[in-house]
Amino acid sequence: MENQKILLNKKAKVVTMGCQLNESDSEKLMGMLTYMGASLTDKTELADIIIFNTCAVRENAEKKVLGLLGSLKKKAEEKPDMLIGICGCTATQPHIAELIKKKYRHVRLVFGTCSLARFPELIQEAMQSGKTVIDIEQRKEVPEGLPVCRGEGPKAWLPVMFGCDNFCSYCVVPHVRGRERSRAPQAILAEAKAIALQGKKEIMLLGQNVNSYGKGLAEPVDFASLLYLLNDVEGIERIRFMTSHPKDIHPRLIEAMAFCDRVCKQLHLPVQSGSDAVLSAMNRHYTRAQYLEKIAYARQLMPDVVLSTDIMVGFPGETEEDFEDTLSLMKEVRYDSAFTFIYSRREGTPAATWENQIPEDVVHERFERLVQLQNQISLEKNRALSGKTLTVLCEGASKNDPRMLTGRDEGNRLVHFKGDPSWIGNMIPIRITQAESFCLYGEVL
Ligand code: SAH
Ligand code: SF4
């Protein structure tokens, strides 16, 4: 990247919506903004540049960002040299770019997920031309060497692959993040070492489907071998990854997880549904039985493995029986936690065109039952930890109560405790005294 300080004296705000990959992309956006001379702010009223990094997985996320953009129109008219931009998954859809051009003319920069590395050129062009600059092209190259402005605290995101080739029939991700591309293992290793040198202790390896890491690379490398490689990085004490696709999680990977002492015994394995008919219509390429076999193998090698999942209700054609299969799978696996989603019809995906959509009231009723069941299971599993001691990586002050500290154990369970801010970044033994569905409370031993 050429070092042109074209943004000296400008204040910039990056608003991140969506998943960890967006968080990670925003760290690069902030890195590039800083490199170009801007100072970062989180105050909208002070910002000369505001970039919205958006999510498109569900319709609500899209509506929310369009609402936010709309609300800035007056401000942009009062401050003509203000630059408002939108990037990420929502921005990458051609119909959204078209909408922005026609109805949100105060938004002067629209760039897609594959254009992140072009951000410096694009912002310069938008500032000089005064017109709306749009770049939502899909590109194959993997950007390397961009400056990163990492957040505070002992954890770091580390993307290992981009895009997705799976085309689940409900999902917009492959359409907005392009085909799967893996980073070279040497680049990932170098970044992990740099993260360790910054004093961070935990890395989260990111990708839409990390289990298919390595596909298309010249050298024969898979995700399991990447874990073995990263397990030796001095200073990194915890390694996690997400997301895993059940069809691609093979025994070799579960064995690598079990073997590598720094890889957390924690697995997020989105199941989506417990019904074979729904899984097939979703184009997920595994059955309930195959999924359960993989869970059983993980538990055989790592008896205390902490499990979480993504589950969707109201997928087109889902019958009451299908839904009950999902509930029974939840009871069988007894996940420690789950992200639960109401199916959202996404333009450009096959399922959006099907006629067998489920009425809203039925979906909401099922969703309530699903959430209730998982909350009950989470509470029971958390209560069973009472009196036990967990090693917690202290992350900082609790968001709800700044007098408390907060952190996570190896299983990624959230733990609140009283302590000294000087403990931030350290591993602390905490005895659990109280449990709720979503978090634990404890005291220092
Ligand atoms: N690549 C990951 C997940 C990416 S999206 C994986 O395959 O597991 C995160 C979650 O959002 C998905 O697991 C799914 O449960 C949910 N999701 C994706 N598309 C959705 C849609 N159209 N409606 C509702 N939830 C959706
Ligand atoms: Fe979407 Fe499926 Fe790819 Fe996950 S694996 S990002 S759900 S298409």
Side-chain angles (χ1 to χ4, degrees):
M1 222 177 104
E2 245 177 273
N3 191 1
Q4 292 174 314
K5 302 273 181 211
I6 57 161
L7 302 182
L8 268 183
N9 304 324
K10 300 269 185 202
K11 288 197 169 53
K13 174 174 175 174
V14 176
V15 182
T16 312
M17 303 158 108
C19 68
Q20 293 83 355
L21 277 162
N22 275 13
E23 299 271 356
S24 165
D25 284 349
S26 284
E27 289 182 344
K28 293 189 183 113
L29 281 171
M30 291 189 280
M32 289 187 272
L33 284 162
T34 313
Y35 196 75
M36 288 185 280
S39 56
L40 300 174
T41 177
D42 48 16
K43 295 196 166 56
T44 303
E45 61 280 12
L46 294 183
D48 307 296
I49 299 164
I50 305 182
I51 309 289
F52 290 91
N53 187 5
T54 62
C55 170
V57 166
R58 274 155 292 142
E59 196 186 2
N60 277 353
E62 216 162 87
K63 281 193 181 146
K64 191 170 162 195
V65 70
L66 291 174
L68 286 171
L69 289 177
S71 70
L72 285 173
K73 189 165 182 219
K74 198 157 159 273
K75 192 167 170 51
E77 280 164 4
E78 288 163 8
K79 198 173 167 185
D81 61 347
M82 183 167 178
L83 193 130
I84 300 170
I86 171 171
C87 65
C89 293
T90 292
T92 313
Q93 302 170 98
H95 71 277
I96 295 284
E98 227 16 68
L99 182 76
I100 302 269
K101 210 161 74 181
K102 286 204 186 108
K103 297 218 170 123
Y104 297 78
R105 298 168 80 123
H106 58 293
V107 177
R108 302 233 316 277
L109 179 55
V110 182
F111 60 106
T113 54
C114 299
S115 312
L116 196 70
R118 290 202 62 222
F119 174 62
E121 284 167 64
L122 296 170
I123 197 166
Q124 190 166 12
E125 194 184 329
M127 282 169 52
Q128 283 168 356
S129 70
K131 292 190 189 135
T132 299
V133 171
I134 298 181
D135 177 358
I136 56 167
E137 228 176 275
Q138 300 263 345
R139 293 183 176 84
K140 287 205 184 89
E141 65 264 30
V142 174
E144 291 293 352
L146 297 179
V148 187
C149 183
R150 291 190 201 282
E152 285 177 12
K155 304 199 299 188
W157 309 119
L158 178 42
V160 300
M161 48 98 68
F162 304 96
C164 180
D165 285 352
N166 289 319
F167 291 94
C168 300
S169 57
Y170 50 82
C171 185
V172 80
V173 170
H175 307 273
V176 293
R177 287 217 170 245
R179 297 292 65 72
E180 256 176 53
R181 288 95 71 205
S182 290
R183 294 179 70 190
Q186 299 78 4
I188 298 168
L189 183 63
E191 191 169 346
K193 287 181 180 167
I195 288 169
L197 279 177
Q198 284 185 339
K200 309 236 178 235
K201 299 218 170 120
E202 178 175 318
I203 50 176
M204 170 70 95
L205 308 177
L206 295 177
Q208 291 300 342
N209 177 13
V210 290
N211 306 150
S212 65
Y213 170 78
K215 205 166 92 181
L217 287 179
E219 54 206 298
V221 56
D222 64 1
F223 191 59
S225 40
L226 188 66
L227 288 185
Y228 287 114
L229 194 66
L230 295 173
N231 196 52
D232 289 334
V233 174
E234 210 50 55
I236 297 297
E237 297 184 32
R238 283 182 175 169
I239 302 171
R240 304 183 196 278
F241 53 88
M242 71 185 300
T243 299
S244 294
H245 194 301
K247 81 174 164 56
D248 293 314
I249 184 160
H250 300 302
R252 196 177 124 74
L253 174 57
I254 297 174
E255 286 150 17
M257 273 184 84
F259 180 83
C260 294
D261 57 342
R262 286 162 176 173
V263 174
C264 294
K265 309 305 174 238
Q266 173 245 323
L267 181 61
H268 181 68
L269 198 59
V271 68
Q272 314 298 356
S273 168
S275 148
D276 281 344
V278 173
L279 287 173
S280 165
M282 284 177 165
N283 199 29
R284 290 289 287 181
H285 296 282
Y286 54 85
T287 62
R288 173 190 176 107
Q290 286 165 337
Y291 180 90
L292 289 173
E293 258 171 45
K294 297 188 184 203
I295 294 282
Y297 191 53
R299 280 191 164 143
Q300 185 191 326
L301 297 198
M302 301 171 280
D304 293 326
V305 66
V306 170
L307 294 169
S308 57
T309 196
D310 291 351
I311 296 198
M312 196 188 298
V313 290
F315 184 75
E318 181 189 70
T319 62
E320 174 60 24
E321 228 179 8
D322 291 324
F323 175 65
E324 281 170 15
D325 284 345
T326 298
L327 295 180
S328 79
L329 180 126
M330 255 176 151
K331 285 186 197 151
E332 196 169 335
V333 177
R334 289 183 64 78
Y335 294 103
D336 292 85
S337 62
F339 293 102
T340 45
F341 299 92
I342 287 180
Y343 167 72
S344 169
R345 216 168 166 170
R346 305 309 291 125
E347 190 170 323
T349 63
T353 63
W354 300 346
E355 279 170 10
N356 52 354
Q357 306 288 324
I358 311 292
E360 233 174 83
D361 54 336
V362 176
V363 179
H364 281 105
E365 190 264 341
R366 286 182 191 164
F367 185 69
E368 284 307 312
R369 284 156 69 199
L370 183 85
V371 170
Q372 236 176 40
L373 174 62
Q374 183 53 49
N375 287 354
Q376 183 57 34
I377 295 172
S378 296
L379 185 62
E380 286 166 12
K381 295 198 82 168
N382 281 347
R383 279 190 179 151
L385 295 166
S386 239
K388 298 226 158 73
T389 300
L390 303 177
T391 303
V392 173
L393 175 57
C394 182
E395 291 174 18
S398 156
K399 277 187 195 131
N400 298 334
D401 181 354
R403 292 166 305 172
M404 298 285 277
L405 291 172
T406 193
R408 286 179 187 267
D409 81 327
E410 178 178 352
N412 217 21
R413 289 176 283 227
L414 187 62
V415 185
H416 300 293
F417 52 97
K418 280 209 181 95
D420 193 285
S422 67
W423 298 350
I424 295 171
N426 293 343
M427 296 282 185
I428 317 273
I430 303 284
R431 201 176 64 88
I432 302 306
T433 52
Q434 194 192 328
E436 290 178 7
S437 287
F438 304 108
C439 67
L440 299 161
Y441 293 86
E443 53 196 21
V444 176
L445 265 195

